[in-house]
Amino acid sequence: MTTLSLPDARARLTAIFEAHNTSADNAASVAAALVAAEADGLKGHGFSRVPTYAAQSAAGKVDGFATPSATARGAVLAVDAAHGFAYPAIALALEALPDLARQNGVAIAALSRSHHCGALGHPVEALADEGLVALMFANTPVAIAPWGGKRGLFGTNPIAFAAPLGDETVVVDLSLSKVARGNVVKAAQDGTPIPEGWALDADGNPTTDAKAALSGTMVPMGDAKGVALALMVEVLAAGVTGAHFSFEASSFLNTKGGPPAVGQLIIAIDPAATGGSGAHLGRLAAAYADEPGARLPGARRKAARLAAARDGLTLPKTLIAMPGGGIP
């Protein structure tokens, strides 16, 4: 184990991705996103993703040299990730969305031919820091069956929301499975069991075996209600964007098949255009804080972020052993 500052951790991961068939700019973008997730305590979207990302880039399942492009039509930005990593495409969308939202009151970025987009809370938080209210939807390869079924049809299909509430920023980031599938991925890598109630095996039976869970399906949040939400996200992230539906997408977890080509949809709203204001939104945060013991969503990850900036992050020896991971 090696403890590194956040800049040093980004440098290590950048070197790893460059050593696995990825351009310097794309490697830096991916590294920044994974380090940010790890720093926030979101380990399922942090260092645990490095081996599979690197393997897919090395194999060409994700194009490490892809250059995303964007076409604007009014308040809508169509972003083609070009079968590359999602993070450079998201960055391209975030460059344009604030101005588009202020000009039009609302703006939408539709991303297609994309890949795993990690912690959705980060893009919407960046928009909230610009004074906007933001939502993000993403579809992922199959992981959730229709209610009453056994075969996966929808992904865990995460959603995120962020808003500036006066001096506070609220961030909601959740998958539509009972827990994020990244937690199961990490348990499978570590060889540890998962709690019962998280997932089902390929026969639809409850399992505590992480590998069996990855071959089966995830239990949806809220049971049938979670499946209904997964359908909604599927339409917004894949149907609207023209991306692969979850049942068409190849896995994020191995090098088999072609690019996943999933989609993401980001919506940015300027509250000043819809009758809101920072002061008005701040009243909600104040009312929330008046409840003893209450904590705005996103507060925990921000505390973890401050601790990581102070204490650094521990890079597993398995990553240090990867090509590029042992740079001085």
Side-chain angles (χ1 to χ4, degrees):
M1 297 284 190
T2 299
T3 299
L4 301 172
S5 68
L6 299 190
D8 286 346
R10 288 191 289 268
R12 294 281 183 125
L13 265 59
T14 298
I16 289 173
F17 288 116
E18 286 191 79
H20 288 81
N21 203 33
T22 303
S23 71
D25 286 347
N26 287 345
S29 179
V30 175
L34 299 190
V35 169
E38 189 78 18
D40 280 9
L42 307 174
K43 296 186 179 298
H45 294 311
F47 293 159
S48 65
R49 293 285 175 172
V50 174
T52 49
Y53 277 18
Q56 289 184 34
S57 185
K61 183 173 180 176
V62 58
D63 183 355
F65 287 86
T67 300
S69 59
T71 303
R73 180 182 174 186
V76 177
L77 191 72
V79 180
D80 181 4
H83 295 314
F85 287 107
Y87 305 109
I90 292 170
L92 184 61
L94 294 182
E95 288 177 11
L97 278 175
D99 285 343
L100 278 177
R102 293 188 187 103
Q103 291 166 13
N104 299 282
V106 63
I108 297 173
L111 284 71
S112 61
R113 298 205 299 169
S114 193
H115 192 259
H116 179 254
C117 62
L120 271 67
H122 290 151
V124 292
E125 184 178 0
L127 291 169
D129 289 342
E130 294 281 345
L132 305 172
V133 175
L135 300 102
M136 184 171 179
F137 309 90
N139 78 317
T140 66
V142 289
I144 292 177
W147 190 244
K150 295 181 181 179
R151 181 179 61 87
L153 180 63
F154 306 118
T156 56
N157 288 11
I159 60 177
F161 165 84
L165 302 184
D167 295 331
E168 302 286 343
T169 301
V170 62
V171 180
V172 177
D173 180 357
L174 49 87
S175 69
L176 297 181
S177 51
K178 188 169 288 187
V179 297
R181 201 168 191 229
N183 294 333
V184 179
V185 172
K186 189 172 189 308
Q189 291 174 342
D190 296 343
T192 57
I194 59 173
E196 187 167 338
W198 280 16
L200 309 173
D201 64 19
D203 295 320
N205 299 313
T207 184
T208 59
D209 184 321
K211 291 184 178 179
L214 292 177
S215 298
T217 58
M218 300 293 293
V219 174
M221 174 186 68
D223 299 329
K225 294 179 180 179
V227 173
L229 288 173
L231 170 61
M232 178 192 77
V233 173
E234 196 74 27
V235 171
L236 291 171
V240 168
T241 65
H244 277 173
F245 290 112
S246 293
F247 63 84
E248 298 172 315
S250 61
S251 175
F252 289 155
L253 305 177
N254 58 47
T255 59
K256 297 176 183 176
V262 292
Q264 292 99 31
L265 189 77
I266 307 172
I267 302 173
I269 302 167
D270 181 2
T274 53
S277 67
H280 182 63
L281 289 167
R283 290 170 56 203
L284 178 58
Y288 203 105
D290 281 344
E291 182 64 26
R295 178 177 57 194
L296 280 171
R300 181 178 297 174
R301 67 164 63 188
K302 291 175 185 176
R305 187 182 304 173
L306 290 173
R310 181 188 65 238
D311 303 330
L313 294 173
T314 300
L315 196 69
K317 62 182 179 181
T318 52
L319 298 191
I320 295 172
M322 292 179 68
I327 62 171

